[in-house]
Amino acid sequence: MSNETKKKLLYITDQHEYTDHGSISALFNGYLKEYLDVHVVYLTKYKNSFQKKGTDYIVPQQYTKNICDYLESKDVDLNSFSYVFVRNMLDVLSDTLKNRSKFGFKLGYRASFPKTEEALAANKEKNKTSLLKTVGGYFEKFNKQRLLSECDLFMPTSKDMEEVFYSDSGVRSYPLPAGLCPNRITSHRISDGADRNFIYVGTLDGLRNFQQVLVAFSKVKSQEWHLNISTFNPKFAQTVLNNYPSLVGKVTVREAGNLDELLVQVDDCDIGIALLPDISVYNTVIPAKVMDYYTCAIPTILTDNPKNRTILSDEDALFCPFEVDAITATIEKSITMTEEEISDMGHSGQAKLLKHKRNYEIMAKELFEELESL
């Protein structure tokens, strides 16, 4: 089917320009283009002028509140789009809702993570919840629910996330979780050297309490291990590590500029780490980093909660409570596993995720069918 005969979809994302993490390249700029003529808008704080790159548009961040007028002023024909999706940004959602009837598109809202609730939980965890922050957070949450209720389609990351944080929206929903890209999956590769190589992908902010994991590693009796941390903020990660002098020489901080670089880092390791505290903002979604790990068929240490066990089992992953001693014991267990056991576990998890509809090729077809039924 040529682009001339396909319906058009505009995806307005809060992700960085050139990003290929998550669903942006594999789903929206990948498999979904088999069914729809997809155009992506990246909002950026790093540029002051509009740019058009193929089917993508780069828009300065200051135009979020009047995004539709701005795009029209740059000769982006919003009348030509059948669908507009907004990812996370309430200012953009508000403006597109105001303009929906004018241009006649169906509007979808993509919530990748309950960020407002995460911020409230973080303030509570730090005992810094002022009345102003609490009222502001709950006002934002109410405003989000109000805007969401007016959309044609809501795309949370999981049904659990919707039920816990968006149960009163009253809008048609279609959960859109993180998945695997079949074009990127690889077989498990034994890492170089004698050490068992672990990798953690992501941020190290206070609410994630990664310090628990670092303390657990410091208590491991074996010395035959190495931890790699791949993060967008390596300076902060190094600052955190400076508080653990016993880990000097045992931890390497890395940074990946794109998904290809990240997957090379993952492929060089044996075990992924996706441990998160046992709280609702983390227990309602499968961590996206899990998909990075199983793309390379490396098994993962996961927090033992019902959500994680909906898609993986003891045959595919290593589960443990988010407690120091339990994490230490699980790390030590993984160090003693044979290469064959690790490979079997990684491949089992990879196959199960692809079969569990965590497959962007399948997800693209089903999303298109959902849109056609609106």
Side-chain angles (χ1 to χ4, degrees), residues 39-276:
H39 297 243
V40 179
V41 174
Y42 296 96
L43 276 295
T44 178
K45 61 182 178 181
Y46 301 109
K47 295 182 180 179
N48 296 313
S49 61
F50 176 82
Q51 289 181 287
K52 184 177 186 299
K53 297 184 177 181
T55 58
D56 295 343
Y57 311 104
I58 315 302
V59 173
Q61 201 172 58
Q62 62 262 37
Y63 297 105
T64 55
K65 292 184 178 181
N66 61 335
I67 186 72
C68 291
D69 286 346
Y70 182 81
L71 289 172
E72 281 283 289
S73 74
K74 300 302 179 180
D75 297 323
V76 179
D77 182 12
L78 293 181
N79 283 300
S80 68
F81 288 95
S82 299
Y83 311 105
V84 173
F85 288 175
V86 176
R87 184 183 190 270
N88 292 332
M89 298 172 288
L90 295 185
D91 286 347
V92 174
L93 181 61
S94 178
D95 188 64
T96 49
L97 279 167
K98 291 174 186 175
N99 286 278
R100 175 177 50 181
S101 60
K102 174 183 176 181
F103 296 110
F105 50 71
K106 297 288 187 180
L107 183 60
Y109 181 65
R110 166 83 171 118
S112 64
F113 195 78
K115 296 181 184 294
T116 303
E117 293 74 12
E118 183 185 34
L120 288 170
N123 288 330
K124 183 177 180 181
E125 181 74 17
K126 295 176 182 178
N127 296 315
K128 293 182 179 179
T129 306
S130 66
L131 178 61
L132 183 61
K133 286 181 178 178
T134 301
V135 172
Y138 282 107
F139 176 79
E140 182 179 348
K141 184 177 179 180
F142 173 79
N143 186 45
K144 184 188 294 185
Q145 292 276 22
R146 179 182 62 81
L147 294 173
L148 179 58
S149 69
E150 299 177 31
C151 293
D152 297 294
L153 188 67
F154 174 43
M155 293 163 286
T157 299
S158 72
K159 189 67 177 176
D160 292 320
M161 189 177 97
E162 178 189 7
E163 290 174 352
V164 172
F165 298 111
Y166 305 100
S167 60
D168 299 326
S169 66
V171 69
R172 178 172 174 172
S173 71
Y174 183 78
L176 201 62
L180 300 185
C181 176
N183 288 336
R184 290 187 183 270
I185 61 171
T186 61
S187 296
H188 180 82
R189 186 182 71 82
I190 299 173
S191 67
D192 298 328
D195 288 344
R196 181 72 75 226
N197 285 282
F198 297 85
I199 185 166
Y200 171 84
V201 174
T203 58
L204 276 68
D205 61 71
L207 189 60
R208 284 173 173 79
N209 198 8
F210 191 70
Q211 289 88 334
Q212 287 271 84
V213 178
L214 294 175
V215 172
F217 268 104
S218 71
K219 297 178 69 174
V220 173
K221 296 177 181 178
S222 170
Q223 291 299 305
E224 295 182 343
W225 62 269
H226 193 88
L227 172 63
N228 297 274
I229 297 173
S230 184
T231 177
F232 286 118
N233 194 341
K235 288 185 178 179
F236 177 73
Q238 193 57 58
T239 299
V240 172
L241 284 170
N242 290 340
N243 296 316
Y244 301 89
S246 65
L247 296 179
V248 171
K250 301 297 291 181
V251 182
T252 301
V253 177
R254 303 182 184 279
E255 184 177 12
N258 54 52
L259 184 57
D260 286 333
E261 291 180 12
L262 176 64
L263 293 180
V264 168
Q265 294 174 3
V266 173
D267 199 36
D268 284 338
C269 296
D270 306 298
I271 304 283
I273 296 176
L275 290 161
L276 291 167

Side-chain angles (χ1 to χ4, degrees), residues 26-28 30-35 174-183 185 350-371:
L27 182 59
F28 291 102
Y31 292 108
L32 195 58
K33 286 193 170 183
E34 181 179 341
Y35 308 97
Y174 183 78
L176 201 62
L180 300 185
C181 176
N183 288 336
I185 61 171
Q350 185 184 82
K352 186 170 288 185
L353 289 171
L354 289 171
K355 189 178 295 185
H356 266 292
K357 297 185 179 180
R358 290 303 186 101
N359 180 326
Y360 282 130
E361 187 172 17
I362 296 173
M363 291 166 66
K365 180 177 184 295
E366 294 183 346
L367 176 58
F368 171 70
E369 292 171 351
E370 182 74 13
L371 294 176

Side-chain angles (χ1 to χ4, degrees), residues 272-285:
I273 296 176
L275 290 161
L276 291 167
D278 192 9
I279 57 178
S280 59
V281 291
Y282 296 135
N283 286 347
T284 57
V285 296

